[in-house]
Amino acid sequence: MKHLKKGEGGNRVIISVIGKDRVGIIAEVTTILQQSNINVLDISQTIMQDLFAMILVADMNESKVDMAELKDLLIAKGEELGVRIDAQHEDVFLYMHRI
Amino acid sequence: MLTMKEILETIRMVQEENLDIRTITMGISLRDCAHPDPKVATGKIYDKVTRLAERLVVTGEEIEKEYGIPIVNKRISVTPISMVAEASDTDDYVIFAKALDEAAEQVGVNFIGGFSALVHKGFTKGDRILIDSIPEALDVTHRVCSSVNVATTKDGINMDAVYRMGQVVVETARRTADRDGLGCAKLVVFANVPEDNPFMAGAFHGVGEPECVINVGVSGPGVVKNAVEKVKDQDFGVLADTVKKTAFKITRMGELVGRTAAKKLNVPFGIVDLSLAPTPAVGDSVAEVLEAMGLERCGTHGTTAALALLNDAVKKGGAMASGYVGGLSGAFIPVSEDAGMIRAVEEGVLTLEKLEAMTCVCSVGLDMIAVPGDTPAETIAAIIADEVAIGMINMKTTAVRIIPALGKKVGDSVEFGGLLGKAPVMPVKQASSSLFVKRGGRIPAPIHSLKN
């Protein structure tokens, strides 16, 4: 994943998609981000225990929606696609794994 | 550099292992609300609580959304009401409990703690009135929690208070018998009570605390259990280290949420309570953590040692994760709120005596325990005396939250639902403790109180 340092314009969001793999998941998620003017910084994906897991890091500095709205958009999309999509502020991960 | 593995680990903790922030608790001083006219005093209390906590629930929900970490409870603790109400010209403090209840309802918190008194060395007028008011107060309110501190290491045990609390517990059970004695689930008797505890039912806002403060209680038995299961065949050094590292990660979440909440609400951040607090949900059990260490059932031989390791490792990991640690800090072992504990009691492996031994090495005490409905007040008082003696001698906090289940006997259980769960009725000794608890006076402080 990209270097993410604390205090680096820290308005980054980590979007996770977990579920059964299918065509077009990334396209659907990034479309929502594009419409909200959210810039994708990094994407990585893996298959764990036959589940598809994608982690996407994006910058919300210029975003047209706030975190709560983005979450609602993504959760609704997840339900439509049959996968679990969540968005969390990156501080959660930095705080937990970095002293 | 955050790795995919780390990100997925955090997500798994929340989504699968029940990691949550158990409570953000706003402590509010009511010391400036005293007034000779109780109506004026209760009006001031209502106004102050609703003003300061107006945005507490909304802020909690905002943080939940932003970070994707559930914050299960938003709560309030206040200055012990015995001190606030004492100046009022009344011999009934139920009106104060009602004011707290209404304020809690108005701001949307599920519990408000602080219908409390500290009587470890004796009673003032306000203390007596408050204790006399507890049964009715817990009967007629929904959200008010009550606690009474009856002992400290420095002062000994106020046995008059212990006996009185035995009677109050029985009376509270009687008044709320139609709800399975629910009032007793909101009443705690303490030794060495901490003044910054964010957890209910024992939370109050101590006299050394600031005007307003945010304290946080974290929880994650499910996360710890899964981590422990991964080191099944390894030695105790590895086991303790695993718990430490996991506790660190859990506590970091509490620290982040607490600091964020304090900043958003513009009040100082107090402490993180490093606690493993179970819920009745499957996989969120402290008993199951102990079982994952290699015990067939919680309560069997080795349980006290396992709990000692767990409790200490949680503190070591958590202390590094937070700037300020306080409250109860350690593993909670409530019976009714923990699916593994309930199972162990039902199978007859976990007994009252073993629980008492376990309280010597963990952070609370005999918690959410149901006993037969015909248990005399003197026996309840003696159970309290035993538990606070453990706290007094070991220089630690202990507490008793016990529910006489009216009309029920061993084999039955009381059901509260939600976070309070269900408690199987446990047997108590039939031999009387009556003459002992009725002696009155104080059990002197132990010699190690003379430290200066």
Side-chain angles (χ1 to χ4, degrees):
Chain A
M1 305 298 286
K2 256 200 173 21
H3 277 278
L4 298 174
K5 292 203 191 79
K6 263 193 206 167
E8 228 181 52
N11 204 9
R12 278 188 290 231
V13 59
I14 295 192
I15 295 163
S16 56
V17 183
I18 295 169
K20 214 170 151 30
D21 197 10
R22 52 169 289 173
V23 174
I25 294 179
I26 295 182
E28 294 274 10
V29 173
T30 49
T31 302
I32 291 177
L33 299 181
Q34 183 197 0
Q35 287 163 350
S36 313
N37 203 34
I38 294 171
N39 186 28
V40 177
L41 302 170
D42 194 359
I43 297 182
S44 48
Q45 61 177 64
T46 183
I47 304 287
M48 53 170 198
Q49 297 150 16
D50 67 296
L51 276 186
F52 169 80
M54 176 180 86
I55 304 293
L56 189 149
V57 185
D59 181 355
M60 288 190 70
N61 263 342
E62 307 290 323
S63 171
K64 288 192 273 193
V65 295
D66 68 12
M67 189 74 172
E69 289 171 272
L70 175 66
K71 247 181 129 83
D72 293 342
L73 287 170
L74 291 170
I75 286 167
K77 180 56 75 180
E79 281 168 7
E80 189 187 312
L81 297 172
V83 293
R84 181 169 181 150
I85 308 184
D86 202 2
Q88 290 160 272
H89 195 282
E90 69 162 345
D91 278 358
V92 174
F93 304 95
L94 288 171
Y95 234 81
M96 184 180 269
H97 296 287
R98 296 290 174 272
I99 302 176
Chain B
M1 193 166 124
L2 280 167
T3 65
M4 181 99 175
K5 185 168 161 277
E6 287 168 334
I7 290 173
L8 288 172
E9 181 186 4
T10 303
I11 290 168
R12 196 177 51 244
M13 283 183 186
V14 176
Q15 290 186 2
E16 292 171 26
E17 299 172 353
N18 299 315
L19 172 64
D20 60 50
I21 306 298
R22 182 53 46 85
T23 179
I24 47 175
T25 304
M26 178 181 268
I28 299 174
S29 167
L30 300 180
R31 278 157 51 179
D32 57 351
C33 296
H35 194 278
D37 180 347
K39 282 202 174 61
V40 176
T42 50
K44 286 170 101 172
I45 288 170
Y46 178 87
D47 291 346
K48 187 167 185 183
V49 170
T50 51
R51 177 169 51 85
L52 289 173
E54 186 187 11
R55 291 192 37 76
L56 176 64
V57 173
V58 176
T59 304
E61 285 165 357
E62 273 173 20
I63 297 170
E64 254 181 298
K65 272 227 155 92
E66 193 167 328
Y67 293 138
I69 304 268
I71 300 170
V72 181
N73 298 301
K74 297 86 181 170
R75 294 167 168 175
I76 296 168
S77 62
V78 297
T79 308
I81 290 296
S82 64
M83 300 176 190
V84 183
E86 199 153 30
S88 296
D89 193 14
T90 173
D91 57 4
D92 180 1
Y93 291 169
V94 173
I95 173 179
F96 286 86
K98 284 180 175 164
L100 292 176
D101 207 36
E102 283 160 20
E105 191 174 358
Q106 172 61 31
V107 299
V109 296
N110 63 345
F111 281 126
I112 185 163
F115 197 73
S116 306
L118 290 92
V119 296
H120 37 271
K121 219 165 175 178
F123 304 90
T124 65
K125 181 192 80 165
D127 295 332
R128 281 196 192 280
I129 299 171
L130 183 117
I131 289 170
D132 292 344
S133 305
I134 288 173
E136 188 185 345
L138 294 179
D139 177 18
V140 301
T141 61
H142 296 288
R143 302 168 197 239
V144 173
C145 291
S146 177
S147 54
V148 177
N149 192 64
V150 297
T152 69
T153 297
K154 286 270 189 185
D155 303 301
I157 304 173
N158 178 348
M159 286 301 290
D160 293 324
V162 168
Y163 184 26
R164 182 71 191 102
M165 287 317 295
Q167 295 166 328
V168 167
V169 165
V170 169
E171 200 183 326
T172 305
R174 194 176 50 76
R175 285 195 75 121
T176 56
D178 59 327
R179 282 149 281 164
D180 262 351
L182 178 64
C184 296
K186 296 183 284 183
L187 173 60
V188 196
V189 184
F190 270 106
N192 291 322
V193 68
E195 306 214 347
D196 54 5
N197 162 29
F199 283 101
M200 297 296 169
F204 67 81
H205 187 72
V207 288
E209 296 285 311
E211 186 67 26
C212 185
V213 72
I214 289 286
N215 296 320
V216 173
V218 296
S219 180
V223 180
V224 175
K225 179 188 157 204
N226 283 349
V228 168
E229 279 171 348
K230 288 195 184 92
V231 293
K232 210 183 251 312
D233 306 319
Q234 314 226 31
D235 75 9
F236 283 109
V238 175
L239 176 62
D241 227 28
T242 303
V243 176
K244 258 188 333 201
K245 286 174 179 160
T246 311
F248 173 84
K249 290 171 183 170
I250 295 168
T251 309
R252 288 295 280 178
M253 292 295 95
E255 177 88 355
L256 173 64
V257 166
R259 288 193 179 276
T260 309
K263 201 160 138 193
K264 281 181 186 248
L265 291 161
N266 199 21
V267 295
F269 172 59
I271 55 100
V272 176
D273 190 319
L274 314 173
S275 286
L276 282 187
T279 66
V282 173
D284 205 21
S285 153
V286 170
E288 284 174 10
V289 175
L290 303 175
E291 289 169 6
M293 290 182 182
L295 299 167
E296 187 182 353
R297 190 57 78 233
C298 176
T300 192
H301 305 290
T303 301
T304 309
L307 182 60
L309 180 153
L310 175 67
N311 202 55
D312 184 61
V314 164
K315 288 180 198 171
K316 283 173 177 160
M320 177 73 194
S322 171
Y324 299 97
V325 173
L328 295 160
S329 283
F332 289 2
I333 50 168
V335 171
S336 77
E337 301 170 12
D338 185 313
M341 292 277 178
I342 294 168
R343 187 177 54 226
V345 171
E346 283 173 343
E347 291 178 8
V349 182
L350 183 60
T351 61
L352 203 55
E353 292 73 20
K354 188 63 179 177
L355 273 166
E356 192 180 300
M358 289 161 74
T359 65
C360 301
V361 299
C362 80
S363 72
V364 244
L366 296 173
D367 196 15
M368 291 301 287
I369 287 165
V371 293
D374 59 3
T375 307
E378 289 75 17
T379 298
I380 304 267
I383 291 170
I384 294 170
D386 283 346
E387 191 56 43
V388 298
I390 288 171
M392 171 181 80
I393 295 289
N394 293 304
M395 289 178 279
K396 68 188 283 296
T397 300
T398 50
V400 177
R401 191 161 43 147
I402 191 165
I403 303 129
L406 282 201
K408 297 194 173 181
K409 51 191 190 308
V410 175
D412 301 331
S413 57
V414 292
E415 301 251 4
F416 301 118
L419 264 184
L420 295 171
K422 78 162 194 175
V425 175
M426 299 173 89
V428 298
K429 300 276 182 273
Q430 295 307 304
S432 170
S433 319
S434 176
L435 290 175
F436 179 77
V437 299
K438 284 179 174 169
R439 295 180 85 97
R442 277 191 299 134
I443 292 180
I447 189 71
H448 50 234
S449 69
L450 306 176
K451 276 187 165 176
N452 303 331

